[in-house]
Amino acid sequence: MDCIFCKIIHGDIPNYTVYEDDYALAFLDIHPLVKGHTVVIPKVHAKILLDLSNEIVCDFFVDVKHVMELVENVFHPDGFTVGWNHGEAGGQVVPHLHVHILPRWDNDGGGNIHSIINNPGELSVEDIAKLF
Ligand code: AMP
Ligand code: ZN
């Protein structure tokens, strides 16, 4: 498969590995947004979270937590922003699920999840709730 992250898993493309086990590989982002910017990917190819079985999701997110602990121990950040871009509209460029772990520091100049978009549309929250 022509997937850059699968090639990293298979060792065809080098990476700076932070952690690896049967379920996940974590490596330093090649274009870090902040010191210690790390991405965690599942070992099985899946573009989006919805493509993974619940069993794999559980193992994968235990590893995401573990990688956060590793980054915490190295950099002692004041906090984290953690998330992933889902689909092209969500900003996903590499079509293999990857969770971004961004260590954060007080007054580091970065934004938070509220700065991603501010375009709530016309429907009220009450109307939206009725759709469920
Ligand atoms: P996105 O798909 O927008 O969530 O982001 C893809 C991320 O993968 C970007 O932050 C890239 O810097 C990173 N990336 C792409 N290729 C590599 C690579 N070979 N090694 C490490 N990180 C990479
Ligand atoms: Zn892949």
Side-chain angles (χ1 to χ4, degrees), residues 53-129:
S53 69
N54 289 350
E55 189 179 15
I56 290 178
V57 167
C58 289
D59 292 329
F60 176 63
F61 273 93
V62 168
D63 281 347
V64 170
K65 178 188 175 191
H66 181 60
V67 173
M68 289 180 69
E69 291 167 343
L70 294 175
V71 175
E72 167 97 23
N73 289 340
V74 171
F75 292 109
H76 306 291
D78 298 315
F80 284 96
T81 298
V82 179
W84 59 97
N85 297 319
H86 179 123
E88 288 80 3
Q92 185 175 11
V93 173
V94 176
H96 182 130
L97 173 66
H98 49 286
V99 173
H100 293 266
I101 295 177
L102 301 169
R104 299 296 305 272
W105 282 267
D106 295 337
N107 305 310
D108 64 10
N112 61 22
I113 199 165
H114 301 285
S115 59
I116 293 173
I117 188 171
N118 184 10
N119 184 12
E122 300 300 317
L123 290 177
S124 68
V125 175
E126 186 179 8
D127 289 336
I128 297 287

